[in-house]
Amino acid sequence: MNVILAGSSGMIGNLILEECLQSDKINEIISLVRRPTNTKSSNKIKEIVIQDFEHYASQSVHFQNIDIAFFCIGVYTGNANHAEFKKITVNYALAFAKELKRYSPNATLCLLSGAGADRTEKSKTSFARYKGMAENQISELGLKFHSFRPAYIYPVVARKEPNWLYQISRALYPVIKLFGNGASIKSTELAAAMFHVGINGAEQEILENKDIIKRVLF
């Protein structure tokens, strides 16, 4: 199978990339990045620098003969203004999906969304409204599409947290876990579930946190 992945420098995208590199089911990985990373050495991976994630006209060849696509580009709430948040959350994801539909219409697309995504698009919070908007617009394309809505994602590998809210959440993770499978998921579990669905598909278009965890137990 051939994979295209947007967002491999992020926490979940990087773990999905590792899953792809280690799997004998994956022949080639096209990794779309904003700047060269030079972090992976494998004949399976082609790293492509993208200047504008809203336009792929000069990079369309990389969307051909794709079997699985993962879109993991995102921005943390509070780290971007309203317009930038919408551009990254909706425009980037939709442009990626449209290019995939044009050149590999039978591919499976796995989108990293988030808990609370609002498909009515009426939420007062940008996160919920724009995640729902992205899901709606991609769903309308008619691809084999699965949207993953994790709750709090616990970083298995320690990192510099993006803001104070994530610092607090990491510290409180032992407590958050007590609220059950709907409240949190480990980063490795989420990546493994997304990879599994990319390979094997799923019944649901929308996978909430509990659904994602079930996929880890396949």
Side-chain angles (χ1 to χ4, degrees), residues 38 47 83 94 123 131 159 171-172 184-185 209 216:
N38 301 315
E47 192 171 85
L94 185 60
S123 175
K131 288 292 187 181
R159 62 173 185 170
L172 293 177
S184 66
I185 189 169
N209 203 81
V216 183

Side-chain angles (χ1 to χ4, degrees), residues 16-26 29 44 195:
I16 292 174
L17 178 58
E18 292 288 355
E19 293 273 358
C20 293
L21 288 170
Q22 294 171 17
S23 174
D24 57 9
K25 295 181 179 180
I26 305 302
I29 310 151
K44 291 172 66 170
F195 179 74

Side-chain angles (χ1 to χ4, degrees), residues 129-191:
R129 185 167 67 256
Y130 292 139
K131 288 292 187 181
M133 187 180 295
E135 289 182 0
N136 284 337
Q137 294 186 19
I138 293 173
S139 182
E140 290 171 0
L141 297 177
L143 285 160
K144 286 182 278 187
F145 169 53
H146 304 286
S147 183
F148 294 75
R149 294 179 174 180
Y152 169 65
I153 305 170
Y154 175 74
V156 171
V157 177
R159 62 173 185 170
K160 181 180 179 181
E161 297 295 345
N163 56 48
W164 64 268
L165 180 59
Y166 285 89
Q167 293 173 5
I168 293 173
S169 296
R170 184 178 179 87
L172 293 177
Y173 177 62
V175 177
I176 296 173
K177 282 177 60 178
L178 298 177
F179 288 89
N181 288 344
S184 66
I185 189 169
K186 293 179 180 178
S187 57
T188 49
E189 293 174 337
L190 175 55

Side-chain angles (χ1 to χ4, degrees), residues 18-198:
E18 292 288 355
E19 293 273 358
C20 293
L21 288 170
Q22 294 171 17
S23 174
D24 57 9
K25 295 181 179 180
I26 305 302
N27 299 318
E28 182 179 69
I29 310 151
I30 304 295
S31 177
L32 306 182
V33 297
R34 187 173 295 281
R35 59 185 65 84
T37 64
N38 301 315
T39 57
K40 307 294 179 185
S41 57
S42 171
N43 293 331
K44 291 172 66 170
I45 186 170
K46 291 183 180 178
E47 192 171 85
I48 308 299
V49 176
I50 302 295
Q51 301 298 329
D52 183 356
F53 282 92
E54 289 186 276
H55 302 95
Y56 290 101
S58 62
Q59 305 289 354
S60 59
V61 64
H62 301 300
F63 285 82
Q64 298 174 16
N65 302 312
I66 296 296
D67 300 293
I68 311 168
F70 298 101
F71 187 87
C72 301
I73 295 176
V75 60
Y76 292 103
T77 302
N79 286 18
N81 62 38
H82 180 87
E84 188 71 10
F85 192 92
K86 181 180 180 182
K87 181 172 76 169
I88 294 171
T89 303
V90 181
N91 298 11
Y92 284 9
L94 185 60
F96 180 87
K98 284 183 174 179
E99 204 72 6
L100 185 70
K101 173 69 174 181
R102 185 174 296 115
Y103 293 102
S104 294
N106 295 318
T108 297
L109 171 57
C110 295
L111 172 74
L112 180 56
S113 184
D118 177 22
R119 282 206 164 186
T120 70
E121 302 180 23
K122 296 179 180 180
S123 175
K124 294 182 179 180
T125 65
S126 296
F127 179 92
R129 185 167 67 256
Y130 292 139
K131 288 292 187 181
M133 187 180 295
E135 289 182 0
N136 284 337
Q137 294 186 19
I138 293 173
S139 182
E140 290 171 0
L141 297 177
L143 285 160
K144 286 182 278 187
F145 169 53
H146 304 286
S147 183
F148 294 75
R149 294 179 174 180
Y152 169 65
I153 305 170
Y154 175 74
V156 171
V157 177
R159 62 173 185 170
K160 181 180 179 181
E161 297 295 345
N163 56 48
W164 64 268
L165 180 59
Y166 285 89
Q167 293 173 5
I168 293 173
S169 296
R170 184 178 179 87
L172 293 177
Y173 177 62
V175 177
I176 296 173
K177 282 177 60 178
L178 298 177
F179 288 89
N181 288 344
S184 66
I185 189 169
K186 293 179 180 178
S187 57
T188 49
E189 293 174 337
L190 175 55
M194 291 184 68
F195 179 74
H196 174 71
V197 171

